[in-house]
Amino acid sequence: MGKRFDTMLFPGGKSKAFTLSYDDGVVQDRRLAELLRQYGLKCTFNLGSGLLGHAETGRAPGRKEIDVSKVAPGEVAEVYRTHEIAGHGLYHSALNTVGTPLAMYEIVEDKRRLEQISGKPLKMFAYPFGLYNDQVAEMLALAGYQGARTVTSTHRFDIPRDFLRWDPTCHHRDERLMELAREFADGVSFGPMLFYVWGHAYEFDGDDNWEVMEELARFMSGCADRVWFAANGEIIDYVNAYRRLEYSTDGLAIYNPSALDVTIRTASESAVLPAGRVTHLEETPL
């Protein structure tokens, strides 16, 4: 086999993916979820099922009092249709401080309730307050979670090595938000690029700046020809499918054991590797 560098491409042969993650299941999610739908974007919404339907007001330092009530259980399916529902702890407790039994209960019971509502297994979680340790990450894995988002901004577009410690690119309040969006859209990379934005929908009310998300959504929608819009869990599934590819010794036969088609770039061309099949590539000249 000649020298070859295979890289992952996202569905449709795209080299870039964009995803969002919003926390707490607040009533402002109704507006955010619909806004994102209008632009063809997908978001992972992280809910604490024990707080659904809870009425509450809050005030961030230096900001006006706002409604931080949670959506009702009966409206979850409709509000978040086309998006992904994920866990956030039953009562949004700091899981690294409450002790192992209670932390495990908050994780598992929240997952059970949300799965009853959504009708399917949950893949993603968001650490309440961004607080976690290795033990909490291990508990999530034992509960069946495959990914968990932190609150550590990287200002990068890397695919995480460990999805249970998934650092986002930035928060929507980041002063570099649109700069990063343009850098992502126009950037050239030899490998796949992932732009990940997170936040809380109530912050748009508190800061009176829904135009921030409108601008971002409009800009990203204009990149649909080269960017895959996906929820967090869809990205996990796809990347894991790529990581499971099995190569023959000479690199010319590739078996895709997953249920998803996977696209790769070999040299200057792309190849689709159908699910459950062996694909034979032509030998690359030296």
Side-chain angles (χ1 to χ4, degrees):
M1 180 181 72
K3 190 172 185 179
R4 197 177 84 206
F5 297 97
D6 291 1
T7 57
M8 182 185 75
L9 293 175
F10 293 112
K14 298 174 181 180
S15 62
K16 303 176 182 182
F18 176 60
T19 193
L20 301 111
S21 175
Y22 275 76
D23 295 353
D24 295 352
V26 290
V27 291
Q28 291 85 352
D29 284 355
R30 300 166 183 156
R31 179 175 177 178
L32 178 59
E34 182 57 32
L35 186 157
L36 297 175
R37 264 192 295 272
Q38 291 174 2
Y39 286 99
L41 306 179
K42 290 188 177 182
C43 181
T44 295
F45 287 93
N46 310 292
L47 315 181
S49 58
L51 299 176
L52 291 176
H54 181 70
E56 184 181 357
T57 58
R59 184 195 303 273
R63 295 181 173 86
K64 64 182 181 181
E65 187 172 80
I66 55 172
D67 186 5
V68 291
S69 300
K70 310 304 185 288
V71 298
E75 63 177 322
V76 167
E78 174 59 22
V79 169
Y80 301 112
R81 61 183 172 83
T82 74
H83 299 295
E84 177 184 27
I85 294 173
H88 201 32
L90 186 64
Y91 298 115
H92 197 272
S93 300
L95 298 176
N96 63 334
T97 67
V98 296
T100 299
L102 184 54
M104 196 68 199
Y105 173 73
E106 284 232 17
I107 291 168
V108 173
E109 180 61 14
D110 182 48
K111 190 170 187 285
R112 184 190 69 81
R113 294 188 191 185
L114 291 175
E115 287 174 343
Q116 284 190 329
I117 293 173
S118 65
K120 58 185 178 182
L122 268 61
K123 296 181 186 294
M124 275 296 299
F125 187 88
Y127 294 109
F129 310 106
L131 299 175
Y132 73 99
N133 53 28
D134 289 344
Q135 186 180 29
V136 172
E138 183 178 357
M139 284 189 280
L140 290 176
L142 289 172
Y145 279 112
Q146 298 179 40
R149 197 211 73 229
T150 75
V151 297
T152 303
S153 295
T154 66
H155 289 177
R156 296 174 59 88
F157 310 112
D158 301 328
I159 305 294
R161 292 182 180 274
D162 181 358
F163 281 112
L164 285 169
R165 296 166 179 81
W166 193 347
D167 297 331
T169 305
C170 69
H171 187 281
H172 73 249
R173 276 178 172 165
D174 197 302
E175 61 182 13
R176 293 188 59 201
L177 175 66
M178 291 310 300
E179 175 191 341
L180 288 165
R182 287 186 286 271
E183 180 182 334
F184 169 75
D186 299 335
V188 177
S189 173
F190 291 107
M193 298 172 66
L194 171 63
F195 184 27
Y196 190 153
V197 175
W198 77 282
H200 306 84
Y202 64 75
E203 293 168 326
F204 296 117
D205 277 357
D207 296 333
D208 195 21
N209 66 346
W210 278 92
E211 70 275 5
V212 168
M213 181 52 71
E214 185 86 40
E215 180 184 12
L216 177 65
R218 185 184 305 111
F219 177 84
M220 294 307 306
S221 178
C223 304
D225 60 327
R226 57 191 183 280
V227 178
W228 179 42
F229 303 138
N232 293 184
E234 292 176 302
I235 291 171
I236 289 176
D237 283 344
Y238 190 84
V239 172
N240 284 341
Y242 169 77
R243 290 174 175 172
R244 292 181 62 201
L245 295 176
E246 300 173 13
Y247 281 74
S248 62
T249 304
D250 63 8
L252 298 179
I254 308 175
Y255 174 50
N256 177 5
S258 78
L260 296 174
D261 292 352
V262 175
T263 304
I264 63 172
R265 178 184 288 121
T266 62
S268 60
E269 298 183 348
S270 63
V272 177
L273 311 177
R277 290 175 51 185
V278 176
T279 299
H280 296 273
L281 304 179
E282 294 185 4
E283 186 165 6
T284 304
L286 289 171

